[in-house]
């Protein structure tokens, strides 16, 4: 395996920020990963795992061995008339995997079209969009323990999925490296078109009958209309999570701000769109030098070029402070800081 020194991470993060890795290696197989983790020379070195780099904010150089997971392959594990179970390499591009399912008519991931990043990173934060989360089609995953190189299988319970959460962001943070994810997909899917503008977009497209392909195309259209393309404007999708607040707090706010949207979560909590809060606090389209708040989706912070991760960090703090002051709600970042 070729380990490089002093490597620029700019091509490997969708914000497009410059930061240097002390050491960098592209990992292409489980065996090679285990070999590296068990090598006494590298065992002592701090490690940092990189997938698609679409959910990370680089604010400084990385004094570690950066391991970019490039384990590929899509394998049919089990199949009958109704379902197919696929094991997918952690380094596969997420949207590439969605397109594979669309081509084959496998239902379950069409609402998750065009999400940047890799398959291995998807369960880490239980990616979700348009009413579907990865946990809905998840069967199991395989991950290698960083200190021993032992391969372990995690079922959904062991992953402890929550809203943009899993055990890999919490108790087991930095303890495991995900190498493959296994999904259960449907050949006669039940479609989920109730969220947001999906049905409206299908109508505009003149689609009479739901299909995996049509829904994927509708989701792609919606995302392209709101979210900046990282190839053109640096960004990491939603920068903050949508906060969940206690119902009584929501009622009080709703009296003061009658337009405030909210979606019940269980009986006691209400989820409030952070994009709305940020827009109402006056930030939508705001620009601070090389960075700013996207003009079509206030939840997305953007890098116009020539800036640094520190500038995004400063802007994020200002946005948080002003939302806290106006609404008494503390936003938390969805993006991981380095
Ligand atoms: N809104 C505004 N102004 C804005 C943006 C949003 O008022 O500038 C309000 C509107 O009321 C809108 C509501 O927020 O109806 C929801 O907006 P949107 O449908 O764009 O979704 P979101 O809640 O902002 C979440 C996910 C996205 C996912 C979409 C669609 C989080 C943190 N983000 O965004 O995920 O694509 O729903 O399901 O939950 C990501 O995680 O990177 C991501 C893009």
């Amino acid at each position: 395996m070729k380990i490089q020194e002093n490597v620029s991470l700019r091509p490997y993060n969708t914000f497009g920020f410059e930061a240097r890795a002390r050491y960098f290696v592209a990992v292409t197989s489980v065996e090679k990963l285990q070999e590296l983790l068990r090598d006494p020379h590298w065992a002592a070195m701090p490690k940092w795992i990189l997938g698609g780099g679409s959910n990370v904010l680089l604010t400084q150089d990385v004094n570690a061995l950066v391991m970019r997971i490039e384990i590929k392959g899509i394998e049919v594990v089990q199949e009958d008339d109704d379902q197919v179970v696929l094991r997918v390499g952690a380094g596969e591009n997420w949207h590439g995997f969605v397109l594979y399912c669309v081509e084959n008519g496998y239902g379950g991931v069409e609402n998750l079209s065009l999400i940047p990043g890799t398959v291995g990173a998807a369960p880490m934060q239980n990616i979700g969009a348009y009413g579907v989360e990865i946990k809905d089609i998840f069967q199991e995953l395989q991950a290698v323990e960083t200190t021993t190189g032992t391969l372990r299988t995690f079922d959904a319970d062991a992953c402890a999925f929550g809203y943009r959460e899993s055990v890999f962001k919490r108790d087991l943070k930095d303890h495991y490296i995900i190498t493959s994810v296994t999904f259960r997909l449907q050949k006669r899917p039940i479609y989920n078109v109730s969220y947001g503008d999906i049905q409206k977009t299908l109508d505009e497209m003149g689609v009479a009958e739901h299909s995996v392909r049509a829904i994927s195309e509708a989701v792609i259209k919606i995302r392209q209309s709101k979210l900046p393309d990282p190839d053109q404007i640096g960004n990491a999708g939603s920068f903050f999570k949508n906060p969940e607040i206690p119902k009584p707090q929501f009622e009080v706010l709703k009296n003061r701000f009658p337009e405030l949207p909210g979606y019940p979560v269980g009986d006691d909590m209400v989820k409030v769109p952070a994009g709305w809060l940020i827009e109402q606090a006056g930030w939508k389209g705001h620009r601070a030098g090389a960075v700013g708040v996207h003009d079509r989706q206030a939840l997305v912070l953007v890098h116009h070029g020539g800036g640094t991760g520190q500038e995004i960090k400063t802007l994020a703090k200002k946005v948080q402070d002003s939302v806290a002051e106006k609404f008494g709600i503390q936003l938390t970042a969805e993006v991981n800081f380095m």
Side-chain angles (χ1 to χ4, degrees), residues 128-131 163-164 195 223 226-227 236-238 240-242 261 263 273 275-276 279 284 296-299 334:
Y130 306 101
Y163 166 58
R164 295 294 192 279
Y195 188 100
R223 288 188 76 97
K226 286 189 188 177
L227 298 168
S238 300
F240 302 102
K241 289 194 216 178
N242 287 326
Y263 314 96
W276 189 91
E279 180 173 349
K284 197 170 187 170
R296 276 174 285 148
Q297 180 22 311
L299 192 48
E334 194 215 69

Side-chain angles (χ1 to χ4, degrees), residues 58-129:
L58 290 168
T59 61
Q60 56 187 346
D61 289 343
V62 187
N63 187 13
L65 170 62
V66 174
M67 306 171 91
R68 187 162 193 266
I69 306 302
E70 296 183 2
I71 300 169
K72 297 284 165 74
I74 302 180
E75 178 194 343
V76 177
V77 178
Q78 201 185 313
E79 185 169 16
D80 61 27
D81 290 347
D82 297 317
Q83 298 189 331
V84 60
V85 177
L86 300 174
R87 184 183 298 132
V88 188
E92 287 285 345
N93 173 267
W94 174 266
H95 185 60
F97 164 59
V98 171
L99 290 180
Y100 170 92
C101 294
V102 168
E103 284 307 316
N104 288 284
Y106 302 153
V109 279
E110 57 279 4
N111 294 44
L112 303 176
S113 295
L114 211 62
I115 295 181
T118 57
V119 167
M124 298 263 310
Q125 56 149 349
N126 183 23
I127 59 167

Side-chain angles (χ1 to χ4, degrees), residues 35-54:
E35 196 183 302
L36 189 63
L37 293 171
R38 288 169 180 161
D39 180 328
H41 178 72
W42 295 108
M45 173 78 57
K47 297 175 191 75
W48 193 60
I49 312 306
L50 194 57
S54 59

Side-chain angles (χ1 to χ4, degrees), residues 28-270:
T28 52
S29 76
V30 175
E31 294 70 27
K32 286 191 173 148
L33 176 60
Q34 289 173 316
E35 196 183 302
L36 189 63
L37 293 171
R38 288 169 180 161
D39 180 328
H41 178 72
W42 295 108
M45 173 78 57
K47 297 175 191 75
W48 193 60
I49 312 306
L50 194 57
S54 59
N55 206 42
V56 58
L57 178 67
L58 290 168
T59 61
Q60 56 187 346
D61 289 343
V62 187
N63 187 13
L65 170 62
V66 174
M67 306 171 91
R68 187 162 193 266
I69 306 302
E70 296 183 2
I71 300 169
K72 297 284 165 74
I74 302 180
E75 178 194 343
V76 177
V77 178
Q78 201 185 313
E79 185 169 16
D80 61 27
D81 290 347
D82 297 317
Q83 298 189 331
V84 60
V85 177
L86 300 174
R87 184 183 298 132
V88 188
E92 287 285 345
N93 173 267
W94 174 266
H95 185 60
F97 164 59
V98 171
L99 290 180
Y100 170 92
C101 294
V102 168
E103 284 307 316
N104 288 284
Y106 302 153
V109 279
E110 57 279 4
N111 294 44
L112 303 176
S113 295
L114 211 62
I115 295 181
T118 57
V119 167
M124 298 263 310
Q125 56 149 349
N126 183 23
I127 59 167
Y130 306 101
V132 174
E133 287 180 340
I134 196 176
K135 72 169 171 51
D136 303 327
I137 36 127
F138 179 88
Q139 172 135 325
E140 62 179 41
L141 64 77
Q142 288 196 307
V144 171
E145 219 229 328
T146 37
T147 50
T148 59
T150 309
L151 193 63
R152 176 178 157 189
T153 302
F154 289 76
D155 64 12
D157 283 346
C159 292
F161 292 124
Y163 166 58
R164 295 294 192 279
E165 280 295 345
S166 78
V167 75
F168 303 104
K169 268 181 97 169
R170 290 173 171 264
D171 305 4
L172 298 184
K173 189 170 161 40
D174 299 330
H175 288 260
Y176 283 91
I177 300 168
I178 296 170
T179 54
S180 72
V181 188
T182 304
F183 301 98
R184 182 175 291 275
L185 297 153
Q186 304 297 326
K187 293 186 181 173
R188 296 187 246 259
I190 297 167
Y191 300 109
N192 186 336
V193 293
S194 57
Y195 188 100
D197 288 344
I198 296 191
Q199 187 54 55
K200 194 174 129 220
T201 306
L202 287 166
D203 292 342
E204 283 165 9
M205 287 161 60
V207 171
E209 206 181 322
H210 292 156
S211 67
V212 174
R213 185 180 299 276
I215 293 169
S216 171
E217 284 171 3
V219 168
I220 289 172
K221 241 177 141 109
I222 300 170
R223 288 188 76 97
Q224 284 176 336
S225 73
K226 286 189 188 177
L227 298 168
D229 176 352
D231 286 341
Q232 274 149 31
I233 305 176
N235 76 92
S238 300
F239 194 87
F240 302 102
K241 289 194 216 178
N242 287 326
E244 292 173 8
I245 58 172
K247 213 165 160 187
Q249 186 186 357
F250 179 77
E251 305 296 350
V252 171
L253 277 173
K254 185 85 181 166
N255 271 330
R256 280 179 55 209
F257 306 98
E259 308 291 314
L260 175 71
Y263 314 96
V265 180
D267 292 336
D268 304 330
M269 304 294 281
V270 180

Side-chain angles (χ1 to χ4, degrees), residues 256-328:
R256 280 179 55 209
F257 306 98
E259 308 291 314
L260 175 71
Y263 314 96
V265 180
D267 292 336
D268 304 330
M269 304 294 281
V270 180
K271 188 183 274 191
V272 176
W276 189 91
L277 301 172
I278 298 168
E279 180 173 349
Q280 295 305 310
W283 290 100
K284 197 170 187 170
H286 174 89
R287 191 158 172 170
V291 299
V293 178
H294 191 49
D295 55 3
R296 276 174 285 148
Q297 180 22 311
L299 192 48
V300 179
L301 301 188
V302 291
H303 171 215
H304 296 284
T308 65
Q310 283 293 346
E311 289 173 72
I312 286 279
K313 199 174 166 184
T314 304
L315 174 63
K317 177 81 171 68
K318 285 186 182 161
V319 169
Q320 278 172 316
D321 289 349
S322 90
V323 167
E325 195 186 323
K326 190 170 167 88
F327 299 103

